[in-house]
Amino acid sequence: MNFNRVIILDIPSLGIGEASDANRFHSVGADTLGHVLSSINRSVALPNLTALGLGNIRWANPLTAVPQVSNPPGLFQSDTYGK
């Protein structure tokens, strides 16, 4: 696959769950995106992030307001801090 450009979105402040060392920083239960989405209690329209695979980013606790897609072109990596 040839790419003309690659765009990297590093969005740690979006907050998709707590880090593995959350207990060291008083952030156990941190989940900014998950809490915002659950508080509005409906699906949201994030077409570009959804197409890239935002709904696929968590397996254990999926983002129910953002649908999963098959074969998303986005690459995402889970937290690796403290490992």
Side-chain angles (χ1 to χ4, degrees), residues 60-80:
N61 184 16
L63 298 168
T64 56
V66 181
Q68 293 184 357
V69 295
S70 298
N71 303 314
L75 172 69
F76 40 88
Q77 182 172 336
S78 65
D79 174 39
T80 57

Side-chain angles (χ1 to χ4, degrees), residues 11-24:
I11 50 176
S13 63
L14 186 59
I16 303 178
E18 66 185 45
S20 58
D21 60 353
N23 60 326
R24 294 178 50 209

Side-chain angles (χ1 to χ4, degrees), residues 1-7 73-75:
M1 190 180 293
N2 294 327
F3 296 101
N4 292 326
R5 73 178 75 140
V6 175
I7 299 170
L75 172 69

Side-chain angles (χ1 to χ4, degrees), residues 21-39:
D21 60 353
N23 60 326
R24 294 178 50 209
F25 301 99
H26 308 290
S27 58
V28 172
D31 184 15
T32 304
L33 182 63
H35 291 133
V36 168
L37 293 176
S38 66
S39 72

